[in-house]
Amino acid sequence: MIKTPIIMDVDTGIDDAIALTVALQAQSLDIKGITVVAGNQTIEKTLKNTLEVVEYLGRTDIPVAKGAAKPLVAPQIIAEETHGESGLGNAKLPAASIQPVEEDAVAFMRRVLEESSEKITLVPTGPLTNIALLLMAYPHVKEKIEKIVVMGGGAFEGNASATSEFNILVDPHAASVVFASGLPIVMCGLDVTMKAYTTKEDIQAVRDTGTKAGEFCADAFRHYYDMYTKYTRLPGCAVHDAVTIAYLLHPEMITVKPATVRVDIDGVHSYACTASDFRPWRDKSKDNALVCMDIDRQAFVKLIIDACKNY
Ligand code: RIB
Ligand code: CA
């Protein structure tokens, strides 16, 4: 089987944990490492959560590296109400016995990319601080990056503000660097991720898998479901980050549109928006992204359930 080499960059949080649950059991992914960034919670908590999820799911073979504690320029914001005080909602995992590697996230990514005999896909599901630092400090590694499949942004939607999505808003300067890097981007933004939700029945089906992963994910979903049904019109909770893994495993599940996407770092009302140009008469030579617009939600939910069954 041809395996896709990836590095995940996470701010574990609830939906990051679901993305990890799907990714860590996928036979067609070769996970070279997981780097961690502050976002949903502080770096101490996102790192703790990531180590606990990796160990709980039996993948301590995958190195974890600690990354940025703060955005490049913007003041730090976290999403405590959405992801809870721990960052994993109601889920309680055993304390991890594993430690992160000695290298920081950027040094780790640089080394892995330099040493790799094949190009690696980066899969960030949090603020893009680590990715931007890597590209700014070591631009030569771009030749070893296949593409960037990012959960972030929204062509027509915002959640953290009227026009911006949380991961981009936390560190818009980093996002601007990444989207302007010249690397091919698959933007799994709110346009698709708000369609990738799990209902109460879906969450029960996750729990009914009867596995340790199913129990963990269902516990994590509980708080997330309450938040999403309280604040949005969704009949469930949007599993944003897992859409990146769904794209890698089953791209046919997702509808994409090419566009030129740039991040606004100067606007007031448009600050941190991912300005997406789909105009047929645009200069298509400047296109840098495939923007994900739709998803087969039933297939997506089945992917999560089937993943939980494999633990
Ligand atoms: O806007 C959703 C994104 O922000 C997801 O990555 C979620 O984990 C939070 O980081
Ligand atoms: Ca995330």
Side-chain angles (χ1 to χ4, degrees), residues 135-177:
L135 299 179
M136 291 159 71
Y138 309 111
H140 68 280
V141 302
K142 284 186 187 177
E143 66 188 30
K144 300 302 273 301
I145 298 171
E146 178 68 28
K147 58 178 175 283
I148 300 175
V149 182
V150 52
M151 192 283 135
F156 301 104
E157 295 214 27
N159 58 5
S161 81
T163 56
S164 65
E165 177 277 326
F166 179 80
N167 287 337
I168 307 298
L169 182 65
V170 168
D171 197 340
H173 304 86
S176 177
V177 166

Side-chain angles (χ1 to χ4, degrees), residues 118-139:
E118 54 191 339
K119 287 192 174 187
I120 295 175
T121 295
L122 303 185
V123 188
T125 61
L128 292 167
T129 316
N130 291 337
I131 311 298
L133 287 169
L134 171 74
L135 299 179
M136 291 159 71
Y138 309 111

Side-chain angles (χ1 to χ4, degrees), residues 11 16 40 125 241:
D11 64 330
D16 303 76
N40 287 318
T125 61
D241 294 336

